[in-house]
Amino acid sequence: MTTERPQADPQPNLHPDPRPDPNPQSQPHPQPQHDDIGGILIHRGLREELSRLADAAESGRRAEAVQEQIELVIAVLHQHHHGEDEKLHPLVRDREPSIATILDELEKEHTLIQKLADDAADRTRPLPERAPVIRELLDVLRPHLALEEAEVFPAITRQVSQAEFEEFVKGELKAAGRRLPALFGMLLHYALPGERKRLLADVPTPVALFWKAFWRRGYERRVSRVYGCRASN
């Protein structure tokens, strides 16, 4: 059986109507510096995978494969939030102080999200018992990600230079380590053709070549093991 590719969630408005800036000097880069397609696809992948994994966990079938996928998604979520807290948010907070309250709110929510995520991945509990936890995590995460997309993504494009953002992306790829093939497969699985092209253009050439040659087929096999169906990528 071949799964239909989930429809992409509506593109977040990366460049909303500008709000009055109480401190014009806080915006050294008034024009967008880059396109965070990776962040958009990470958010979409987290939403889609957690929704599917809640159902898969509830069924209790293919338990080890489902557990491994839960651990992948939770690791991606942790890394995503760590990168924001440690690298991107400090830059934006320093250069656009008006967004500090929103960043404080998001970073406080990261603690609750991490607790739910750890509970969702807890191997000491049977998978079906964790399905409600995964759904609760998704319920908390959806508005959290929506706020990031509406408020923080535009601030990042305004305040983080292209060179700084490229350095951030390189660091995130390195931090993924052995998870990188599966992470990349997950992101591109939920990408539309134009989005896939943009992401592949943003990453180092060897990463794009490995995905085309090896990682794509590897992720198709992973999807088959987890969900009992073939990925259509």
Side-chain angles (χ1 to χ4, degrees), residues 100-117:
T101 300
I102 292 174
L103 295 179
D104 290 342
E105 178 182 347
L106 291 170
E107 290 170 9
K108 186 180 298 183
E109 289 174 357
H110 285 176
T111 301
L112 170 61
I113 290 169
Q114 180 171 331
K115 174 64 167 62
L116 288 170

Side-chain angles (χ1 to χ4, degrees), residues 74-84 172-173 175-176 179 183:
I74 297 310
V76 170
L77 176 60
H78 284 342
Q79 182 183 330
H80 178 59
H81 283 169
H82 183 267
E84 290 174 336
E172 291 299 284
L173 293 176
R179 294 191 304 271
L183 164 62

Side-chain angles (χ1 to χ4, degrees), residues 3 30 64 89 97-99 127 130 146 169 171-172 191 204 206 209 217 230:
T3 55
E64 184 57 30
H89 287 185
S98 61
I99 203 172
L127 269 176
R130 285 183 272 146
V169 170
E172 291 299 284
L209 292 176
R217 289 191 293 273
R230 193 165 60 83

Side-chain angles (χ1 to χ4, degrees), residues 164-178:
E164 288 170 327
F165 195 76
E166 288 176 359
E167 191 65 24
F168 168 74
V169 170
K170 289 179 183 177
E172 291 299 284
L173 293 176
K174 182 177 180 180
R178 295 175 62 183

Side-chain angles (χ1 to χ4, degrees), residues 26-212:
S26 69
Q27 298 201 28
H29 305 297
Q31 297 301 318
Q33 301 295 298
H34 47 77
D35 175 13
D36 186 8
I37 186 61
I40 293 168
L41 294 179
I42 285 174
H43 282 195
R44 188 183 302 158
L46 290 170
R47 292 184 183 104
E48 295 287 351
E49 284 294 327
L50 288 171
S51 178
R52 298 180 75 183
L53 284 168
D55 293 339
E58 190 171 52
S59 77
R61 296 191 296 270
R62 298 176 292 276
E64 184 57 30
V66 171
Q67 177 66 34
E68 290 177 0
Q69 189 71 357
I70 291 172
E71 289 170 352
L72 169 68
V73 172
I74 297 310
V76 170
L77 176 60
H78 284 342
Q79 182 183 330
H80 178 59
H81 283 169
H82 183 267
E84 290 174 336
D85 291 347
E86 299 297 322
K87 299 173 184 177
L88 291 179
H89 287 185
L91 292 175
V92 175
R93 188 186 294 273
D94 181 60
R95 296 169 186 177
E96 194 165 325
S98 61
I99 203 172
T101 300
I102 292 174
L103 295 179
D104 290 342
E105 178 182 347
L106 291 170
E107 290 170 9
K108 186 180 298 183
E109 289 174 357
H110 285 176
T111 301
L112 170 61
I113 290 169
Q114 180 171 331
K115 174 64 167 62
L116 288 170
D118 290 343
D119 289 345
D122 182 2
R123 282 180 174 264
T124 67
R125 297 176 60 189
L127 269 176
E129 291 183 10
R130 285 183 272 146
V133 180
I134 298 172
R135 292 194 174 99
E136 183 181 359
L137 171 60
L138 183 57
D139 287 344
V140 172
L141 199 58
R142 279 181 171 138
H144 178 89
L145 299 181
L147 181 59
E148 283 186 355
E149 291 164 355
E151 301 291 345
V152 181
F153 279 17
I156 290 171
T157 63
R158 288 191 298 268
Q159 302 301 340
V160 180
S161 71
Q162 179 69 31
E164 288 170 327
F165 195 76
E166 288 176 359
E167 191 65 24
F168 168 74
V169 170
K170 289 179 183 177
E172 291 299 284
L173 293 176
K174 182 177 180 180
R178 295 175 62 183
R179 294 191 304 271
L180 184 57
L183 164 62
F184 216 65
M186 185 181 83
L187 300 188
L188 291 173
H189 179 62
Y190 294 105
L192 298 175
E195 294 170 332
R196 186 180 304 125
K197 183 177 180 180
R198 285 157 59 194
L199 182 63
L200 291 172
D202 280 352
V203 299
T205 300
V207 172
L209 292 176
F210 271 105
W211 177 77
K212 293 175 182 177

